[in-house]
Amino acid sequence: MAEKHTERSMLDALLERYTDIRRGTITDRWIRAEHVQSGLGYRDGARVADFVAADRHSSTMALHGHEVKISRADWRNELKDPTKAEAVKRYMTHWWLVVPDADIVKPGELPADWGLIVLKDGKLRARKTAPRLDPEPIPLEFSIALMTGAARTGQREVLHRDAPPARMGGRYVCGLCGMPAPCAHHQPREAAGRMAA
């Protein structure tokens, strides 16, 4: 029987995909934000991107926006209203559709300026690379919404997974705060496992 995926399980896979701690540091290449609003507040017409990953690497600096669809019906609803994605996509350098199964998207349905990421063997893999877009300048309102999404994601990320370990000076530390691993605050599952052993 095929595994049943939820938006949460797909967001967790995106958190995993967009984590890359630089060797010898606790510096992550990526800044992650879930459920990023197109603006501030919950006024009529506000739209939400499921996931945005900001690439901090100087040679590839970019914003990657993601729409997560877990079923064919979910994807068909997206196709009925292309303006929904455009509210955030216009500020992104790359735009991706993320699905647990490639069969959710039928041939010819994926817009030409979207990439496709599919879950395979427990990992998200690019099936079609998202082309580089020409994003609009980001208004202050969206910058604040993006920062809010990143802050909230950072606060709740520990609820879904332990912070990755980093190797510094011959020892493992928490990839988030630099304390010796496992860190009770950011790596609670591993810390609890060690205490139980």
Side-chain angles (χ1 to χ4, degrees):
M1 183 176 186
E3 183 180 351
K4 176 84 170 143
H5 290 281
T6 63
E7 182 189 55
R8 179 72 259 158
S9 69
M10 297 302 289
L11 289 172
D12 288 345
L14 281 165
L15 289 170
E16 213 48 54
R17 176 180 173 85
Y18 291 102
T19 297
D20 184 8
I21 307 292
R22 197 168 126 212
R23 189 174 178 173
T25 73
I26 59 167
T27 303
D28 197 328
R29 172 180 174 173
W30 299 94
I31 299 168
R32 298 164 293 278
E34 297 175 358
H35 302 128
V36 177
Q37 292 182 215
S38 59
L40 299 176
Y42 287 96
R43 63 184 183 278
D44 289 341
R47 303 297 188 157
V48 176
D50 294 323
F51 191 89
V52 174
D55 187 349
R56 301 168 12 135
H57 196 277
S58 60
S59 66
T60 54
M61 202 174 298
L63 290 174
H64 293 256
H66 302 77
E67 274 299 315
V68 174
K69 301 299 171 195
I70 59 169
S71 70
R72 174 88 182 131
D74 196 13
W75 171 236
R76 286 175 54 118
N77 284 336
E78 181 75 21
L79 289 173
K80 289 177 189 173
D81 185 6
T83 63
K84 180 179 174 287
E86 194 57 37
V88 175
K89 179 176 161 271
R90 64 187 175 162
Y91 306 125
M92 298 293 113
T93 320
H94 301 278
W95 192 256
W96 300 88
L97 173 63
V98 183
V99 295
D101 184 343
D103 290 338
I104 288 173
V105 184
K106 299 302 179 197
E109 286 183 341
L110 189 70
D113 58 352
W114 290 42
L116 178 63
I117 297 175
V118 179
L119 192 64
K120 183 172 179 174
D121 301 325
K123 296 274 185 193
L124 289 174
R125 303 182 194 287
R127 176 71 64 93
K128 178 195 174 241
T129 301
R132 188 167 185 90
L133 304 172
D134 186 20
E136 294 178 18
I138 295 176
L140 181 59
E141 187 174 278
F142 182 71
S143 294
I144 294 170
L146 184 56
M147 291 169 65
T148 301
R152 285 183 181 154
T153 300
Q155 290 169 350
R156 54 178 184 237
E157 193 168 345
V158 73
L159 300 173
H160 306 291
R161 69 175 188 151
D162 282 358
R167 190 160 174 85
M168 290 179 61
R171 65 189 176 103
Y172 284 98
V173 299
C174 171
L176 193 58
C177 69
M179 296 298 290
C183 164
H185 296 292
H186 304 118
Q187 299 168 319
R189 291 156 195 82
E190 187 179 345
R194 290 231 182 136
M195 287 178 66

